[in-house]
């Protein structure tokens, strides 16, 4: 059954207006056909309109592309998922020598390396930027022992990109073109600003639609989040993951669960190879989201139905917009009820919160958890180090859902965030929030 693209163009415009999104582009593959529509402006200052060929930053959706590149090399017998990173990269090491020896490609691609890795370090525009970045990882500490838990790690994917360079003999950007873009005929997928600027390119805006002061991330974090693309190209890439032989002989392998997520309320219950895995109304959904400086992207794929959806936006209330769009699309296309985001229960759980209070810290973030009136917890994030100026502080008044799960939202937020506390009997306590595990330090 064909989709009504005029209806979806109108729906996209209405949802963007409701969520204060300056501009958005939507593409989806359904029942053998690709559909595209766009709304709004690329830049509120210039008023340049968004077109279906406009390029947006897809942020961490890039990680699925990097994982695919490594899996292509694995299928060629060049490497295995359980090959230690140090066997491939002589320059690789982290602070703990035991972790240096133990970390494998699988750990990188499933965020289970334990590397405390939100290192957004600019090592220049040269072709040696990834090598220099990996060398700079030598001082990174472990959030937890290798393989012991899950914590979203940008640095792990930069290291993965450097492995691709080592195995292919070319820079990551060029390997991306040769391994994925050219075989799939992707003409509107690029990584460097001088290439992106040949097209209509979105700029970022904050949650209230104000222009952000910076355009993009440094080249050195490319494999973790530097791709810019039009929505239809992102959909074409997603389709390749549902089509054996389009890129990978066995793309379904990447959708096999590798780890259960300690906080299952942040976009998925499990993690595969590069993909977040979830189930909506009894249907498997594989996905990845991406956030850069004022831009947001999401890629959803439903293997059972063969449907692939990509939505790209440049500001506003992105999480709210993303959920409402998925709800509308999947209800109409497949009669799937998308689960509602987590929210406070009618009757909050009554628990002793004192043992949750304290300071939790990892690279780039310090989190203060304090007890207030009536036994309520308050959480305040504080960007540190290299993330000062890139991330903002947040304050969440927490409501208990159960003995370890809380929800909270910052002033002005429309969507609740989930916070899960984990007490290890033989180790530190962890706060699982925003996909990261943050250990308690005091």
């Amino acid at each position: 059954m064909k989709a009504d693209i005029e209806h979806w163009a109108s729906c996209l415009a209405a949802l963007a207006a409701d969520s204060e999104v300056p501009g958005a582009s939507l593409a989806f593959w359904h029942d053998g056909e690709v559909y595209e529509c766009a709304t709004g402006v690329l830049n509120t200052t210039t008023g340049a309109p968004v077109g279906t060929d406009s390029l947006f930053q897809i942020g961490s959706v890039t990680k699925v592309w990097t994982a695919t590149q490594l899996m292509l090399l694995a299928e060629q017998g060049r490497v295995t998922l359980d090959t230690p990173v140090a066997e491939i990269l002589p320059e690789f090491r982290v602070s703990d020598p035991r972790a240096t020896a133990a970390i494998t490609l699988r750990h990188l691609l499933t965020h289970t390396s334990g590397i405390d890795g939100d290192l957004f370090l600019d090592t220049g525009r040269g072709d040696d930027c990834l090598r220099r970045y990996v060398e700079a990882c030598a001082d990174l500490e472990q959030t937890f022992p290798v393989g012991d838990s899950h914590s979203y790690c940008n640095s792990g994917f930069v290291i993965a990109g450097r492995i691709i360079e080592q195995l292919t003999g070319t820079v990551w950007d060029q390997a991306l073109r040769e391994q994925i873009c050219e075989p799939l005929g992707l003409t509107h997928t690029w990584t460097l600003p001088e290439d992106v600027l040949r097209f209509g390119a979105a700029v970022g805006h904050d949650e209230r639609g104000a222009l952000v002061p910076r355009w993009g991330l440094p080249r050195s974090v490319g494999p973790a989040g530097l791709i810019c693309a039009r929505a239809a190209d992102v959909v074409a890439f997603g389709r390749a993951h549902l089509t054996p032989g389009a890129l990978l002989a066995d793309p379904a392998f990447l959708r096999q669960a590798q780890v259960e997520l300690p906080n299952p309320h942040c976009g998925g219950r499990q993690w595969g190879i590069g993909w977040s895995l979830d189930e909506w109304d009894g249907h498997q959904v594989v996905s990845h989201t991406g956030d850069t400086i004022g831009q947001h992207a999401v890629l959803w794929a439903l293997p059972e139905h063969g449907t692939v959806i990509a939505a790209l936006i440049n500001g506003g209330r992105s999480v709210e917009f993303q959920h409402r769009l998925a709800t509308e699309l999947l209800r109409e296309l497949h009669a799937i009820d998308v689960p509602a985001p987590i929210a406070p229960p009618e009757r909050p759980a009554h628990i002793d919160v004192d043992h949750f209070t304290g300071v939790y810290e990892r690279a780039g973030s310090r989190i203060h958890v304090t007890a207030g009136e009536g036994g309520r917890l308050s959480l305040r994030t504080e960007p540190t180090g290299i993330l000062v100026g890139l991330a903002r502080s947040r304050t969440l008044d927490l409501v208990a859902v159960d003995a370890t799960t809380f929800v909270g939202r910052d002033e002005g937020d429309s969507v609740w965030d989930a916070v899960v506390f984990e007490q290890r009997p033989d180790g530190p306590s962890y706060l699982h929030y925003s996909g990261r595990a943050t250990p308690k330090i005091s």
Side-chain angles (χ1 to χ4, degrees):
M1 179 179 177
K2 289 187 176 296
D4 182 351
I5 195 59
E6 292 185 4
H7 163 74
W8 290 114
S10 176
C11 181
L12 186 72
L15 291 176
D18 286 348
S19 299
E20 298 184 86
V21 170
S25 181
L26 169 69
F28 59 94
W29 174 265
H30 170 66
D31 200 22
E33 189 169 341
V34 65
Y35 298 88
E36 303 173 78
C37 57
T39 189
V41 297
L42 297 170
N43 183 329
T44 54
T45 301
T46 66
V50 179
T52 55
D53 278 355
S54 298
L55 271 60
F56 287 71
Q57 297 172 25
I58 70 170
S60 288
V61 181
T62 299
K63 292 180 173 68
V64 187
W65 302 59
T66 299
T68 303
Q69 290 177 266
L70 271 181
M71 290 307 302
L72 284 165
L73 295 169
E75 287 192 345
Q76 296 166 10
R78 307 276 295 278
V79 72
T80 75
L81 283 177
D82 297 313
T83 300
V85 173
E87 288 188 9
I88 307 170
L89 298 181
E91 71 269 27
F92 170 72
R93 68 181 187 278
V94 289
S95 180
D96 184 342
R98 294 168 298 178
T100 299
I103 292 170
T104 67
L105 274 64
R106 189 186 304 271
H107 292 129
L108 300 181
L109 300 183
T110 58
H111 300 287
T112 56
S113 69
I115 297 173
D116 194 355
D118 271 340
L119 180 64
F120 288 92
L121 179 66
D122 187 349
T123 57
R125 277 294 310 270
D127 287 351
D128 63 346
C129 64
L130 295 195
R131 178 184 60 78
R132 294 174 62 193
Y133 181 102
V134 171
E135 291 172 349
C137 290
D139 295 328
L140 293 181
E141 303 285 346
Q142 291 297 113
T143 301
F144 50 77
V146 177
D148 197 46
S149 188
H150 175 278
S151 186
Y152 196 85
C153 180
N154 283 288
S155 298
F157 272 79
V158 180
I159 296 165
R162 176 60 185 150
I163 292 171
I164 292 164
E165 291 189 334
Q166 186 80 351
L167 295 176
T168 63
T170 188
V171 294
W172 171 77
D173 310 75
Q174 183 58 32
L176 179 77
R177 303 215 58 76
E178 294 175 359
Q179 291 178 287
I180 295 177
C181 298
E182 292 171 3
L184 294 181
L186 306 183
T187 58
H188 288 63
T189 299
W190 300 89
T191 56
L192 301 179
E194 57 267 33
D195 292 315
V196 175
L197 289 174
R198 295 182 293 131
F199 306 87
V203 296
H205 304 76
D206 66 19
E207 293 176 352
R208 293 166 181 81
L211 203 67
V212 297
R214 288 182 55 186
W215 181 74
L217 300 171
R219 186 184 182 189
S220 51
V221 297
L226 208 62
I227 290 176
C228 294
R230 64 177 176 183
D233 277 23
V234 181
V235 165
F237 170 75
R239 285 181 57 206
H241 276 265
L242 303 184
T243 311
L247 280 175
L248 293 161
D250 183 19
F253 175 75
L254 281 71
R255 306 194 297 269
Q256 295 179 11
Q258 303 289 316
V259 59
E260 299 288 328
L261 299 190
N263 184 346
H265 309 289
C266 292
R269 303 177 188 180
Q270 301 168 316
W271 208 270
I273 302 297
W275 286 108
S276 175
L277 312 177
D278 210 341
E279 186 177 284
W280 293 351
D281 200 13
H283 303 266
Q284 185 188 36
V285 178
V286 298
S287 67
H288 211 296
T289 59
D291 289 286
T292 60
I293 305 172
Q295 298 195 45
H296 178 83
V298 60
L299 170 62
W300 295 290
L302 286 78
E304 175 187 344
H305 300 280
T307 296
V308 180
I309 305 165
L312 315 176
I313 71 173
N314 63 346
R317 299 192 301 275
S318 58
V319 177
E320 170 192 300
F321 173 88
Q322 168 189 312
H323 183 266
R324 292 182 64 189
L325 180 62
T327 299
E328 296 279 350
L329 269 168
L330 295 182
R331 179 189 296 130
E332 183 157 329
L333 296 182
H334 298 300
I336 292 174
D337 288 328
V338 176
I342 191 170
E346 290 185 10
R347 295 182 179 180
H350 294 286
I351 59 173
D352 179 7
V353 300
D354 288 342
H355 62 284
F356 296 133
T357 61
V359 179
Y360 300 74
E361 188 165 9
R362 56 180 167 79
S365 182
R366 185 178 298 116
I367 302 175
H368 302 265
V369 178
T370 56
E373 295 182 4
R376 295 279 291 271
L377 286 177
S378 179
L379 179 153
R380 179 172 60 85
T381 67
E382 175 189 343
T384 60
I386 203 165
L387 290 187
V388 173
L390 288 177
R392 67 178 178 87
S393 296
R394 297 174 61 83
T395 299
L396 282 65
D397 291 324
L398 301 180
V399 180
V401 177
D402 57 37
T404 58
T405 304
F406 294 75
V407 293
R409 57 183 177 185
D410 201 4
E411 183 179 357
D413 286 353
S414 58
V415 177
W416 296 85
D417 289 320
V419 177
V420 174
F421 291 90
E422 178 187 10
Q423 175 66 58
R424 295 291 182 95
D426 55 349
S429 298
Y430 294 96
L431 184 157
H432 295 279
Y433 168 60
S434 190
R436 275 82 169 171
T438 306
K440 188 175 184 179
I441 62 169
S442 65

